[in-house]
Amino acid sequence: MTIVLGIESTAHTFGVGIVRNGEILSNIKKTYVTEKGGIIPMEAAKHHNRFKAEIYSEALEKAEILENKIDAIAFSQGPGLAPCLLEGMKFAKKLSKKLKKYIIPVNHCIAHLEIGRLTKTKNPVMLYASGANTQIISYESGKYRIFGETLDIGVGNFIDNFARYSGIGFPGGPIIEKLALKGKKYIKLPYKVKGMDIALSGILTNLKQKIESKKYNLNDLAYSMQETVFAMLVETAERALAHTGKKELLLGGGVACNSRLQEMCKIMCKERKAKFFCPEKSLLVDNAGMIAFLGEIMFKSGIKENNLDKIDIMPRQRTDDVEVVWRK
Ligand code: AMP
Ligand code: MG
């Protein structure tokens, strides 16, 4: 029996999750939100520092586990905001020292993908649509390869930025989704797909100009933004399915909570006879359950470290930097 505790702190969320033999026993988190404006990294880091002890105790309590039963501590090593990542790593090292347990550095993006195993997908193309990251990923010869990605900003940050410009606080995505439901008129926006990559900053500028002109209804803009940008995501995901010949699409990341994006993915999968998989909402947004889940898989494959000096954060770590030795 293995018990792994995971820590998430790449951006807005601080979380602690506990997994025993692939089962998530607890997944507690607290997210930094704002009334107006986006994430300030130092403020988010202070938020994490303030709540970490409380979240840790709650996670142990919910899992009904005593801390001395933990076999290893996994934490999000990157990619992410450096001040936030540091809070998570410091906490992981402190626990590792105190409990005399191994530490396991986990790539956050791959954790978003691996948690898809709970949906029973085997070898998917993943559309990973989150705040800072937007990638089309699939396993090939020892690594999770990035088949396509955003060339500038992540789709969640793009939506949050559009929301902020309209006077909506962070996270803007869920509110924009509600406004989009009330939109009636499709307003033409630029459509930027290059092979399996997408670009979003030009569309953001275009939307900002439209907001400034005061000639457009915000509901219509929200609706048109979703229709346009989600079509771009689905197009690139479909191209990756065609290119790899794979028959499973896995949706993940916070933006995957959006019902319209899920619906568009389902339609595309149905048309090309692929299967659609999407984890439940609590596992789509940033959470520590997925870090513990992948941490346990890595631990069982022999990845572990007890020399804490060898461990550091990797704010710019890429999905395809990681050797996926546990997947053989
Ligand atoms: P993550 O970085 O994976 O935790 O995802 C956070 C991002 O997901 C933020 O940019 C949110 O605005 C976005 N998000 C959350 N829920 C929704 C939704 N229903 N529609 C669109 N974006 C969403
Ligand atoms: Mg994430």
Side-chain angles (χ1 to χ4, degrees):
M1 191 172 73
T2 327
I3 298 178
V4 174
L5 178 132
I7 298 169
E8 162 59 30
S9 75
T10 52
H12 42 71
T13 297
F14 188 88
V16 175
I18 299 175
V19 164
R20 181 177 56 205
N21 294 339
E23 186 194 350
I24 298 179
L25 301 180
S26 65
N27 191 8
I28 310 293
K29 68 183 166 71
K30 193 150 177 75
T31 299
Y32 165 84
V33 291
T34 70
E35 288 271 320
K36 224 168 168 262
I39 310 180
I40 302 162
M42 290 306 289
E43 291 301 317
K46 274 192 222 160
H47 163 273
H48 298 349
N49 189 26
R50 185 166 348 125
F51 292 107
K52 63 188 182 197
E54 198 176 300
I55 294 169
Y56 174 65
S57 313
E58 212 181 310
L60 288 171
E61 215 170 287
K62 174 87 197 296
E64 298 182 2
I65 292 281
L66 293 173
E67 60 179 9
N68 60 8
K69 297 279 183 254
I70 297 166
D71 295 299
I73 317 284
F75 78 102
S76 266
Q77 183 180 35
L81 302 169
C84 300
L85 287 169
L86 278 173
E87 286 303 328
M89 184 182 71
K90 276 193 289 184
F91 193 57
K93 285 189 176 181
K94 206 173 108 190
L95 284 177
S96 162
K97 252 191 217 153
K98 177 179 157 199
L99 305 173
K100 299 191 178 56
K101 298 296 174 187
Y102 288 110
I103 200 160
I104 307 162
V106 168
N107 176 285
H108 173 92
C109 306
I110 296 180
H112 271 291
L113 194 150
E114 290 284 8
I115 197 67
R117 290 185 190 214
L118 290 178
T119 67
K120 305 272 181 274
T121 179
K122 295 234 154 43
N123 188 10
V125 164
M126 181 191 204
L127 169 54
Y128 170 39
S130 81
N133 306 289
T134 302
Q135 297 175 337
I136 312 282
I137 310 168
S138 200
Y139 181 79
E140 202 62 67
S141 318
K143 284 189 171 179
Y144 284 111
R145 312 276 168 183
I146 302 172
F147 285 86
E149 64 188 316
T150 176
L151 298 174
D152 39 42
I153 40 179
V155 65
N157 287 0
F158 159 85
I159 297 174
D160 293 334
N161 209 309
F162 164 59
R164 192 185 324 155
Y165 213 74
S166 318
I168 299 164
F170 174 84
I175 298 171
I176 293 293
E177 176 174 16
K178 289 206 180 90
L179 299 183
L181 286 173
K182 293 189 254 169
K184 292 193 179 69
K185 192 172 151 221
Y186 180 76
I187 298 158
K188 199 166 181 328
L189 293 169
Y191 187 92
K192 298 276 178 203
V193 170
K194 320 227 181 245
M196 283 185 254
D197 294 328
I198 63 165
L200 293 167
S201 61
I203 307 176
L204 186 59
T205 307
N206 188 287
L207 281 165
K208 286 181 176 175
Q209 286 165 348
K210 287 193 164 67
I211 295 168
E212 263 167 37
S213 78
K214 298 198 167 56
K215 283 193 213 145
Y216 300 90
N217 173 292
L218 183 58
N219 298 340
D220 290 340
L221 281 178
Y223 162 71
S224 309
M225 179 283 287
Q226 284 196 174
E227 293 304 303
T228 308
V229 170
F230 295 167
M232 290 163 45
L233 294 176
V234 174
E235 181 186 332
T236 49
E238 180 169 22
R239 194 159 290 136
L241 283 169
H243 177 76
T244 57
K246 294 191 184 183
K247 287 284 175 201
E248 297 179 352
L249 179 73
L250 173 67
L251 187 58
V255 183
C257 295
N258 189 292
S259 305
R260 180 60 182 146
L261 178 59
Q262 292 189 12
E263 186 186 14
M264 288 166 82
C265 287
K266 276 183 205 156
I267 295 169
M268 180 271 279
C269 285
K270 196 166 169 214
E271 281 177 358
R272 57 178 305 115
K273 299 191 173 51
K275 275 194 187 159
F276 173 74
F277 298 89
C278 187
E280 59 172 86
K281 274 195 182 183
S282 64
L283 299 173
L284 288 175
V285 290
D286 286 353
N287 69 91
M290 67 180 188
I291 303 301
F293 185 83
L294 175 53
E296 189 191 27
I297 294 172
M298 292 168 70
F299 184 65
K300 283 184 168 163
S301 80
I303 301 170
K304 53 194 175 190
E305 185 55 68
N306 55 12
N307 181 352
L308 298 187
D309 295 336
K310 276 195 185 163
I311 306 270
D312 204 355
I313 57 166
M314 298 182 100
R316 294 188 177 275
Q317 187 182 45
R318 278 179 61 84
T319 306
D320 52 7
D321 285 341
V322 180
E323 298 282 350
V324 185
V325 294
W326 60 89
R327 202 184 150 127
K328 283 277 143 60

